[in-house]
Amino acid sequence: MAPDHPHKTHLGGAFSATGDRLTEVELYWDEGRIERWIRFGHFVEDRILDRQRRVLFFAPESIFAFVRWQSNDFGTVLSRIDILRAPSPQEACTSIGFVRPGGELLLHQSGWPKVQQVLQQIDVIERAGIEAIDVCPDHWRHIHNRLTAGHTPRDYTQERHATWLNRRRLTP
């Protein structure tokens, strides 16, 4: 790696120029066979490994949605969505495939019907003019719990979002 590169690789993963540990997410795209992509999230670096693989790097505290889908000759064998918060250095985190070192798991759903419901919830939030990365983490947990229990999640409204923004401003 060139010495003037803003990120350095270390045994513990990638670090930013300021020393923050970055979360790496390996994406892969083989149309109709294996697809791993980010539905939302702001990454700080993107490294293309080859025609099908790339690695995105997220700063600590970043929230992102990671979707995995895979099929074989007989149909879909895997569909999964995880909404994660990138951990701060020294913070415990959950291991997730293709995410290093892992993250705080805010939402996890498997099976295409539930993955599709989460994607629809994200679409509704974005149509309301709210960026998914700014949604209260508790709302992602709420969606996870409601879908897991077979119930419909409550809407994330502008009022709920304003309350979250005020709470975040008041809490260090």
Side-chain angles (χ1 to χ4, degrees):
M1 189 176 305
D4 60 344
H5 197 278
H7 295 88
K8 60 184 179 183
T9 302
H10 188 336
L11 291 175
F15 290 81
S16 71
T18 60
D20 290 333
R21 181 181 189 175
L22 301 176
T23 297
E24 304 174 29
V25 181
E26 185 178 328
L27 307 181
Y28 186 87
W29 192 266
D30 183 357
E31 184 81 33
R33 198 171 146 282
I34 300 173
E35 301 172 6
R36 295 192 302 254
W37 75 93
I38 296 295
R39 170 55 181 84
F40 68 80
H42 294 302
F43 53 89
V44 295
E45 185 180 348
D46 179 1
R47 289 189 195 155
I48 297 172
L49 303 177
D50 56 41
R51 290 174 53 115
Q52 294 177 305
R53 294 179 311 137
R54 63 195 261 210
V55 178
L56 299 182
F57 296 85
F58 292 88
E61 308 296 323
S62 299
I63 293 178
F64 59 93
F66 182 41
V67 182
R68 289 169 279 175
W69 179 88
Q70 185 173 343
S71 72
N72 62 19
D73 293 339
F74 304 102
T76 299
V77 294
L78 172 96
S79 11
R80 182 174 297 159
I81 186 167
D82 295 304
I83 298 181
L84 302 152
R85 187 185 62 77
S88 298
Q90 309 303 318
E91 186 177 15
C93 59
T94 302
S95 295
I96 305 290
F98 309 103
V99 178
R100 290 174 296 279
E104 178 185 354
L105 194 57
L106 304 176
L107 176 147
H108 168 80
Q109 292 296 321
S110 293
W112 185 244
K114 289 199 176 177
V115 169
Q116 197 170 30
Q117 286 179 295
V118 173
L119 294 171
Q120 289 167 352
Q121 289 289 318
I122 295 168
D123 290 343
V124 167
I125 288 167
E126 290 176 339
R127 278 196 301 275
I130 302 167
E131 277 202 64
I133 61 166
D134 294 329
V135 168
C136 177
D138 291 339
H139 188 70
W140 298 123
R141 292 181 189 100
H142 162 76
I143 292 173
H144 167 86
N145 292 332
R146 297 289 289 191
L147 292 178
T148 299
H151 298 287
T152 303
R154 289 187 294 276
D155 290 336
Y156 189 75
T157 62
Q158 288 287 351
E159 292 78 20
R160 285 180 195 265
H161 189 58
T163 300
W164 160 241
L165 294 176
N166 287 333
R167 186 175 106 198
R168 189 170 64 180
R169 214 174 358 262
L170 294 173
T171 308

